[in-house]
Structures are given as C-alpha cells and as structure tokens.
Amino acid sequence: MAVLNILDNNPVCDLLGIKYPICQAGMYQVAYGELAAAVSEAGGLGVIGSAFMDPEDLRREIRLVKDRTDKPFGVDILFAEVSGEDATETGYTQQVEDHIAVTFQEGCDVLVSGLGNPGRIVPDAHARGMKVMSLVGNVRQAVAVEASGVDVVIASGHEGGGHVGRIGTISLIPKVVDSVNIPVLAAGGLADGRGLLASLAMGAQGVWMGTRFIATQEARGHDNYKNKIVEIDEDGTVVTRAHSGKPNRMIRNQFTDAWIGRETEIKPFPQQLREVGEDGSYRGRIEGDTAMGVLPAGQGAGLIHSVPPAGQVVEDIMAEARAILQGWEQA
Amino acid sequence: MAVLNILDNNPVCDLLGIKYPICQAGMYQVAYGELAAAVSEAGGLGVIGSAFMDPEDLRREIRLVKDRTDKPFGVDILFAEVSGEDATETGYTQQVEDHIAVTFQEGCDVLVSGLGNPGRIVPDAHARGMKVMSLVGNVRQAVAVEASGVDVVIASGHEGGGHVGRIGTISLIPKVVDSVNIPVLAAGGLADGRGLLASLAMGAQGVWMGTRFIATQEARGHDNYKNKIVEIDEDGTVVTRAHSGKPNRMIRNQFTDAWIGRETEIKPFPQQLREVGEDGSYRGRIEGDTAMGVLPAGQGAGLIHSVPPAGQVVEDIMAEARAILQGWEQA
C-alpha cells in the first residue's frame, strides 16, 4: 500500500543512510557502543553519547561499533556554552574539544549536538563526509542551528527525559517544521509506533527516542534503572535542576524529593553536575541505587513494559506504525 | 481513498452525532452560545462553558444555540471537588447544582465535565438521552471516570491552556487509550490538522481544542486577547496557580510575572479564583487588559496566525488533515 512508503526510505533515511527513521538518543553513560551498534544494525541510527567520557573511552566505543556493524552510526557531543572561568575550572571545554578530535580521528557518519550550537565544527564535519544533527527545544534554537549549517534538527519536547525545554512535543514539532527548511526529527515522550506515526503526521521525518532505548538489553546501565522505567507510569517523572543545573526530567525518588524547596542552593551548569549530578548519575544508572541515584527518563516511560533487545524495539516500532496505517486503509 | 475514512464518521462521531471529530472546549467566559453554535453548525461539537455563569445566563446561551442550529452541542460544567466549608463560603457548590438543573431543564446533547468526576449525574444524563464526556489529565482519573459511566474521556496534556495536568499530550494519549475501553479525545496543545491526524495516530478518535477556538470571530472575549494569541509564539505561556489556585497555563505577562516568587501567598481553589482570578479574567478576556489580565492559552498558540470564523477553523483542520493523508497515499 502506497501509504506505507512514508514509514521508511523517506528523505531523512536517504540523507543519513539508514533504513528506518528511528534514531536512538546519545544518552550520558547509557548510550555506549553496544547499544549504538544494535540499533544501527537493526536499521535505525545508533548513537554513542560521549558526554563526560574519557576521550580514550570514546575512541574504544567508536571502534566497538565499527567492529559490530558497517551501518551508519552517530556520536553525540554536548556543545553547551560554559562561561570562561567555569569552563577552565571544570575542564569541560577541553573535554568537548577532545571528543571532537577523537570523533574526527576515528570517524562516524553523523555528529550530533546534544546541547548548544555545533556551528563551529559543521564545515569540518561536512569536509569529512559527516552529517550534523542538533537537538533544540524551541524555534529560536532551531532557526539558529539551521543557519549554522546543520543538516537535521531534532526538536525535543518537555515530555522527554534528561535535559528538556519548556514546549510540549505536540506543539513544538509542527511549529519547528514550519520554521526551518531542513528535515526535523521529533523527540520527547515518544516510545512506540504510535509516537512515530504521530510525529510523521506533524511533519517530522522521523523520531529520536531515549527512554525507550534505556530499557533494552544492550543499554549500559543497571537493571534496577531499566526495571524502574518499566515500573513507573506516565506520572513517575519530575523536572528538576538538581542534577546538572539545567532543567532535567528524571524519575521521582528520594533524590528529587530532597531538593524540593532547596532550589536556590542549586548551582549553575556544569558545577551542579560536577558536584552532585555525576556522583548521583553513577549511583543511579550504574550502581542501581533507585532511591538516591539520578535516573533520567521521559513521560513515555508509561508506555514501556519490558526490556527487550534494542533491535527488537526498532522492529516493534515499525510493525506497530505499519499496523495502524493498514488499519486506516481498511477503515 | 480508504484512508480518508478515518477522518470523519468515525465511532466517536457516530456516538456524539457529529460529522467531524473536532470538539471545541467549553472555555470559561469565552465559550458562549455564539461560538458553540458556529462550531456545531460547521459539523464539529460546540460546547458552552458554564463555569461561574449566572444560571439564567446559561439558560439564555443554551436557547441561543438551539435557535441557531439543530445540530448536537454540549454544556461544560466544572465538577471540581471543594471541601465543605469552602464550598458554602464561595457559593461554588450551589452554582454547580444550578448549572446541572438548568442544563437538564433546557436540554443539550453532550454534558461535559471540565474538572472533577461527574459520576453522580451520569444516570440522570443518560436517562435524558445525553452523552457524558469528562476531562482528565492522567490515567488514574481516566479509569475513574470510565468506572463512573462516562461515554467519552478527554485526555488533556500539559501543553493545553487553562487548567492543566503534568503529562505531555504525546505521552498521555496512547497511555490513556491503552487504559480505558471508551473512546478518547486528545487535548492539549493541538491547533491544526496535523494535531488532529497525530491524535488519531495515537489512538484517539478525535480532538478537543480550546485556544484555537478563542482566536475566532464568534468567541466571546476582547480582540486584544484574540490578537495576543496570534502574536505569541510556542514559548509565550507559563503555568501558574495564581489564577485559580490550581495549575493553569496562560499567556506570560505582568500578571504572571508579578506572582513569581510569591507562590506561598497563593490560596487554594476556589478562593484564589474568587479573590484574584475572576477579576483578572474579566480584565483580560473581556476588557482586553493584556498586561494585568488573566489570558489562558495553550502552547498551540504558536500555530495560530489569524482570527477566522469558527466554522472556517473546523473546515481548515479537516482540509489540512485530508491533504496530509493524500500526500501519504502518493508517497
């Protein structure tokens, strides 16, 4: 049926060299090579999250993906702007430079900016044959990254896990689609084939999902974290600045409760992350402390009921979207 | 084309007796008879918002709709639960009883609960041949109103204008669809045919739009309010309890800014509404004071660029959704 053609081999698939318009978010500490390879091998776009990685670990993970699959994959780098003194103190700016250098040395297909504007590296990335995608939370940012030459904008709604903007996905996506001339991927609160089809209806060409891919077998992270995503419902998350200094959606627990009413004590990004968030992230995501750990997740967690292989997630999303369209054809 | 059949004459249209699955929210002070009649006459479901109306005014507005159209329309009543003493002090409970009595005396096709659980009136409404719809913000509420016998649940996301829940529309709708066996209408941040089609993709059978219908010629309210909705972008609203004591999304202005940092001074619903919100509502919505008035609006305002007749809005939404499906058929 003709209408099924919208689900795969669409323009953004052609641009990125992927089969299905499903991209896996480059989640801090969770999106390592094993996950990225599994998603890419299944026909989506797997992405390594480089944030705060030792640069040599990033090199190892890129090589791991290349060993596992010859399909396109991405590396996500945080281009957040940090003021001068903070940047030096925290070593943040140097680490981002190291991530860029390692990514350019080792090579990847898609460079993703998870935060900030990657404009300054776009010419170098393009010269190396890479595409550049950039995550935004509003139209102003979308227009800015398009002007910087990025190839795809990922518009991410308030429902999403991790760092979030203020605009809900269903209001954000059509508005960004109307405001830029490059392909748009939808993100924020999406977890299944219904979310994919809804995103296409809004004019996006594909989706960028995070939480759905945390609850997979290949994701790095403690089983307690993955199981907690399965366990919570649509109202099990809160937005707080307590993790990093920027608004961040995570699973409501003793950690998030402990910061209620103490918002003035929260330091700016990235100090809060260095002093509170990094330790909390390790406790939550890697050690499995679901009470005091930091466990980012989006409201789409309410739609997640199991921890399958990541490739199965890609197949299931496509099958569900196809089934809806087939049902519509028979209406 | 077969796929176009999903857009009209679907089960919720049959249930409500309407042509198009587009329902107009029963907005406080704005959704009077003229607007409801225009939407119903165009094939959607027009709804009168009775909140805090003098009961005799509600009677007049119901009669006005019946004079203008013989098509189905609704009356929206706030069934919020108010604790005993507050209810007596504010006269709130008596007014709700009066709204129910007038609606039953005059008759309408669909009784809508804009807040709270209308369970106690469902048997009477059904005995009178009315359908009952109920607005909810999470799954727990959806399951509760289904158990109370309502016919349709309206699941309303955090993007919406006026009273809002915490869950974003794109995460809420599929989860509610999975959790109840009655038809679901999607609400919150929707303003065009893309929002309608996205809602259907998520498993809803139709939409409930508020802000889109404020910016119409037939809506009650000052031109300054309507023009402000056209003027703001997707980031022009905030959620505050300053209006009514419950979280409420409205256009960011001097009124909302004035309550930042003074959240502890805000009184519970409905005292805050009586002491602050009602005056602010009149100043904003009716007198057109866009600086200090209360101007509820959703994030879908970013998609609204004109103030057309309400019937034109209904036609435009349907035409846009049809055009997307036709494009998909040719993909």
Side-chain angles (χ1 to χ4, degrees), chain B residues 224 226-233 301 304-305:
Chain B
N224 291 355
K226 301 178 184 183
N227 291 337
K228 201 77 190 170
I229 288 171
V230 170
E231 189 184 307
I232 63 170
D233 66 16
I304 297 170
H305 309 298

Side-chain angles (χ1 to χ4, degrees), chain A residues 186-199:
Chain A
L190 306 165
D192 59 21
R194 294 174 289 188
L196 169 59
L197 193 58
S199 299

Side-chain angles (χ1 to χ4, degrees), chain B residues 265-276:
Chain B
E265 298 173 42
I266 296 173
K267 297 181 181 167
F269 177 89
Q271 276 77 358
Q272 183 74 11
L273 185 63
R274 290 285 186 204
E275 296 175 22
V276 175

Side-chain angles (χ1 to χ4, degrees), chain A residues 2-6 137-140 158-159 166-175 177-178 188-190 192-195 197-203 232-237 249 252 298-303 305 324-325 327-331, chain B residues 2-6 137-140 158-159 166-175 177-178 188-190 192-195 197-203 232-237 249 252 298-303 305 324-325 327-331:
Chain A
V3 75
L4 288 182
N5 292 334
I6 63 152
N138 59 40
V139 168
R140 182 181 51 75
H158 185 67
E159 294 93 328
R166 287 183 294 269
I167 320 304
T169 301
I170 214 151
S171 296
L172 178 66
I173 305 304
K175 182 72 178 175
V177 167
D178 287 343
L190 306 165
D192 59 21
R194 294 174 289 188
L197 193 58
S199 299
L200 297 177
M202 292 187 286
I232 62 171
D233 66 15
E234 78 285 0
D235 204 12
T237 67
R249 184 181 295 280
R252 186 190 297 122
Q299 292 182 325
L303 301 168
H305 308 299
I324 296 167
L325 285 174
W328 287 4
E329 279 276 355
Q330 287 151 22
Chain B
V3 75
L4 289 182
N5 291 336
I6 64 154
N138 59 41
V139 168
R140 181 181 51 75
H158 184 68
E159 293 93 328
R166 286 181 295 269
I167 321 302
T169 301
I170 212 150
S171 296
L172 178 65
I173 305 305
K175 181 75 177 173
V177 166
D178 288 343
L190 305 165
D192 59 21
R194 293 174 290 188
L197 192 58
S199 299
L200 298 176
M202 292 188 286
I232 63 170
D233 66 16
E234 77 286 0
D235 203 11
T237 67
R249 184 181 295 281
R252 185 188 298 121
Q299 292 182 325
L303 301 167
H305 309 298
I324 296 167
L325 286 173
W328 287 5
E329 280 276 355
Q330 289 152 20

Side-chain angles (χ1 to χ4, degrees), chain A residues 276-298:
Chain A
V276 175
E278 278 194 7
D279 175 62
S281 280
Y282 197 80
R283 286 175 72 170
R285 290 185 249 211
I286 306 305
E287 296 181 335
D289 179 352
T290 58
M292 287 303 293
V294 169
L295 302 170

